Amino acid sequence: MKESSRKHGSLSPCAACKLLRRRCAPDCVFAPYFPADEPQKFASVHKVFGASNVNKMLQELPEQQRSDAVSSMVYEANARVRDPVYGCVGAISSLQQQIGSLQTQLARAQAEVVHMRMRHLASTSDYPAGTGSTENKLMASQSKSFYYMDTVDQANITESLWSY
Amino acid sequence: MGDIPTSPDIIFRCKGSPLAAAIKSAGISFPLPKSGLILVGEQTNILLKHTQLIHLRGKAVKMASSSSYNSPCAACKLLRRKCMPGCIFAPYFPPEEPQKFVNVHKIFGASNVTKLLNELLPHQREDAVNSLAFEAEARVRDPVYGCVGAITFLQRQVQKLQKELDAANADLIRFACNDIPTALPQAPGTSSFQPLTPRNRLAEFNRRNIGNEGGGFYQVPGALPYSFPWNDASPDDINDGGEGGM
């Protein structure tokens, strides 16, 4: 990207240097990630984080991680511009509520599946309805899937990004 | 994207949960903040303190206003300036929580935070500061993804749960179809555990997946405030996904 902006001989400044009204140096840290044709991208990042903070953050990262860092900063900045009170924390809250709702629905649906399976077995089996071993096996296998999500969640939660 | 960073244990709960009981025992009183935003967990104790500040607002303001004559707020302390009585930071950055402002200042900058708070109504500022503090801490801990890593993780959880729900509903449809010769007529208003005719079961399945109760969150992207840049697993999508709010 840096090369393409310099290809035609004109030193067209990147979106950051254009906004900051300064000369875009060949080794400008912003240039690879804020092309001149996307001015809004840098505008929102600059508004929320500030150019010097972004510069510092990018300088502290190895080059191969900077692209992802810029993308996440742009996302956060846009979220904050849209929702100045909660920013992307509002999205986290919304997602968490969805997860709760889906888990409830899933538990209900799985309970109903167990119920239907038991009915089906009772109506088709040679054994009388209510045979303990068949029902127990069904409940055991179903309860595995009931609690699968919780155990997965727990495993992920303990692998916290934020552990010291 | 490479390895998806795992999220911190972020839990948002309402009254009645064990978490609520833990918060209560820590001395936080109900009602919960309007945002309903509670961040807890073993690794996020400092974030819980942000929530504590919401409930102890009266005390914090009182402490800040009375302590400003003796002790500046955390912001003015870090900025090495006199903490005036009307300091915009003082209610939200008490001197005993220096790290909160350190993070916010490092990521956003004091002047940006001032501008942001000045644009908000006074009753919105607490929540704004707490969300900024959360984002700042997330960014300090994960300089590459910040709290967007948590969003990605939660988004994948939603997708996984939706698939499982669809599979369970598909099972129910199959059972309903197999029950054609044995299904009993269904009286209206009875519980869902009563046998339904295949047509009613299909209607129930559709209601769950298209209506309010069902997978509308997954199938109706407009229900979310933002689309997410990393919906696909392909790492090549990362560079395209920088827009966020669409």
Side-chain angles (χ1 to χ4, degrees):
Chain A
M1 208 176 285
K2 209 159 132 178
E3 285 79 18
S4 65
S5 71
R6 306 281 186 265
K7 215 180 208 174
H8 302 288
S10 64
L11 295 172
S12 137
C14 66
C17 294
K18 229 176 196 172
L19 186 77
L20 299 171
R21 295 183 189 181
R22 65 183 197 189
R23 188 178 150 267
C24 193
D27 60 347
C28 172
V29 73
F30 297 121
Y33 315 108
F34 296 102
D37 54 354
E38 290 180 51
Q40 196 51 42
K41 199 170 162 186
F42 185 76
S44 51
V45 168
H46 179 48
K47 181 178 178 181
V48 174
F49 292 99
S52 58
N53 288 333
V54 176
N55 191 11
K56 266 187 260 175
M57 285 192 267
L58 291 181
Q59 298 276 16
E60 287 169 7
L61 292 171
E63 271 199 50
Q64 63 269 22
Q65 290 181 329
R66 289 179 186 176
S67 180
D68 283 355
V70 165
S71 294
S72 69
M73 278 191 259
V74 169
Y75 182 84
E76 275 190 49
N78 284 334
R80 183 61 63 174
V81 165
R82 279 187 165 228
D83 183 356
V85 180
Y86 298 110
C88 66
V89 177
I92 291 175
S93 178
S94 170
L95 279 170
Q96 186 70 16
Q97 284 170 14
Q98 285 177 52
I99 287 173
S101 170
L102 282 170
Q103 283 175 333
T104 305
Q105 291 173 58
L106 182 63
R108 249 189 293 165
Q110 286 176 335
E112 215 167 316
V113 166
V114 169
H115 177 76
M116 296 295 283
R117 278 185 185 157
M118 286 167 59
R119 274 190 64 246
H120 183 73
L121 271 177
S123 62
T124 57
S125 168
D126 290 336
Y127 294 96
T131 304
S133 61
T134 311
E135 289 175 10
N136 286 345
K137 278 182 192 168
L138 262 179
M139 292 299 292
S141 68
Q142 197 61 43
S143 61
K144 249 194 206 171
S145 56
F146 264 116
Y147 297 115
Y148 173 70
M149 180 51 58
D150 286 343
T151 54
V152 167
D153 282 349
Q154 288 298 323
N156 285 331
I157 283 167
T158 54
E159 290 174 10
S160 169
L161 169 68
W162 292 1
S163 57
Y164 285 102
Chain B
M1 189 170 182
D3 293 329
I4 299 166
T6 52
S7 75
D9 36 350
I10 303 170
I11 304 172
F12 298 72
R13 290 284 184 267
C14 295
K15 272 197 243 191
S17 71
L19 174 61
I23 292 172
K24 210 170 186 178
S25 70
I28 304 172
S29 59
F30 288 93
L32 295 170
K34 285 175 198 158
S35 64
L37 186 69
I38 301 176
L39 311 169
V40 294
E42 198 181 330
Q43 283 81 29
T44 56
N45 282 333
I46 192 166
L47 299 174
L48 176 58
K49 288 177 187 172
H50 299 161
T51 313
Q52 286 175 311
L53 288 174
I54 293 174
H55 296 284
L56 300 170
R57 181 175 65 158
K59 216 186 266 187
V61 170
K62 201 176 173 186
M63 279 168 58
S65 59
S66 65
S67 68
S68 63
Y69 296 105
N70 302 325
S71 149
C73 69
C76 293
K77 226 177 196 172
L78 185 76
L79 299 171
R80 295 184 189 181
R81 66 185 195 192
K82 185 171 178 216
C83 191
M84 305 298 287
C87 173
I88 195 168
F89 295 123
Y92 317 110
F93 297 102
E96 48 287 335
E97 300 280 346
Q99 196 58 39
K100 186 177 172 186
F101 186 77
V102 165
N103 292 339
V104 168
H105 180 50
K106 180 178 179 183
I107 301 302
F108 297 104
S111 58
N112 287 337
V113 175
T114 303
K115 273 188 249 171
L116 180 78
L117 292 182
N118 280 328
E119 286 170 8
L120 295 174
L121 298 171
H123 69 273
Q124 294 174 315
R125 289 175 185 169
E126 275 181 290
D127 283 351
V129 165
N130 284 327
S131 67
L132 285 170
F134 179 86
E135 283 188 37
E137 182 160 358
R139 183 64 61 175
V140 164
R141 290 177 191 248
D142 182 2
V144 181
Y145 300 109
C147 70
V148 178
I151 291 176
T152 307
F153 174 78
L154 292 172
Q155 177 75 353
R156 286 176 200 262
Q157 288 275 71
V158 166
Q159 290 172 353
K160 190 161 77 154
L161 280 168
Q162 187 60 56
K163 276 185 192 159
E164 292 196 13
L165 184 61
D166 290 344
N169 285 330
D171 282 344
L172 290 172
I173 296 275
R174 269 198 299 275
F175 277 119
C177 292
N178 289 340
D179 278 348
I180 292 172
T182 61
L184 301 173
Q186 174 66 10
T190 52
S191 94
S192 62
F193 282 85
Q194 295 295 322
L196 295 178
T197 62
R199 180 172 291 180
N200 290 347
R201 176 64 66 190
L202 191 57
E204 177 75 8
F205 175 75
N206 287 337
R207 184 181 67 80
R208 281 181 179 161
N209 280 281
I210 295 167
N212 293 334
E213 195 185 330
F217 295 115
Y218 184 71
Q219 295 183 359
V220 183
L224 294 176
Y226 316 109
S227 61
F228 302 104
W230 291 287
N231 279 338
D232 297 326
S234 165
D236 294 337
D237 291 340
I238 297 301
N239 291 327
D240 298 335
E243 294 183 3
M246 294 185 348

